[in-house]
Amino acid sequence: MSDTHILVEQPENGSGILVIRFNRPDKKNAITEPMYHRMTEALVGANRDDAVRVVAFLGTDGCFSAGNDMGDFLAYAMSGSDDVPAAARFIKALALAEKPLVAGIDGLAIGIGTTLNLHCDMTIASSRSVFRTPFVDLALVPEAASSLLAPRIMGHQRAFAMLVAGEGFSAKAALEAGLIWKIVPPETVEAETLAVAQSLAAKPPQALKIARNLMRGPRNEVLERINEELVHFSLQLKSAEARAAFEAFMRR
Ligand code: COA
């Protein structure tokens, strides 16, 4: 990967905000294995670094992320590999994050671009944002503990419509479903997200961390679900039906 596909901006002048930015706009910020590695490293580092009080995910103009890179999906499907995909390590790092996570979304949020919000505490989205998880259309299954967290947050029917039926959710529908906190105009997403992060980062750090952990609850249940999903996800990734779906996308 180019080192610039994920930009990690360390806290400046005591701001306390670590920014993880998707920055592969020519591919709609689709996430490759090295990009997952970089984000995992940043999240794990944030847990240990007292200078980091809040982690903010941002994308680029009109695009948060189109989810996992389809070429990587296809390569994994054809490799016969049993290695744990880099995405799995990233998802676990998300679930084990100890500092508040915020996200600023403008435009496309697909696959993990949507499900990572289930681990975020405050998401600000532009009015033109669309959230979509076409897992089953790709012959895959929900990931990132979304099969557990989405029904809890959104209720079964809306979660099913999103995760299984693959229905797209507008920013308004996502707000109504409790998936995001606030809708703002596209041009202010970034400023508003950083303002939210700033106000959290200015709070007493110990209380902030404890409050977040209390609200997130024990992680075991979430990690167990991630592992359960991963068993199915990995098997489905190598299935003929998934391979056909990835090949169809690559051929377009
Ligand atoms: N993996 C790899 N490349 C991707 C990608 C992905 N997930 N999503 C988009 N891209 C690439 C396209 O192949 C295209 O590359 P090219 O210019 O070299 O041909 C480029 O990004 C622009 O995408 P394009 O499809 O032309 O833009 P669009 O605005 O018409 O559609 C999407 C955007 C995101 C709706 C569409 O690309 C799409 O459906 N992507 C797949 C999303 C997905 O299913 N992700 C996995 C979820 S589990």
Side-chain angles (χ1 to χ4, degrees), residues 26-28 30 66 68-70 73 108 110-111 132 134-135 138 249 252:
D26 55 321
K27 298 290 181 188
K28 304 283 179 193
N68 203 98
D69 186 277
M70 294 292 237
F73 266 163
L108 288 171
I110 303 185
R132 198 151 54 82
F135 297 125
L138 294 171
F249 178 82
R252 295 172 320 152

Side-chain angles (χ1 to χ4, degrees), residues 200-223:
L200 290 172
K203 297 194 186 295
Q206 214 37 34
L208 178 70
K209 191 172 155 181
I210 296 168
R212 198 234 178 206
N213 275 330
L214 283 168
M215 289 192 66
R216 284 273 152 200
R219 309 296 162 87
N220 289 0
E221 191 186 13
V222 173
L223 287 172

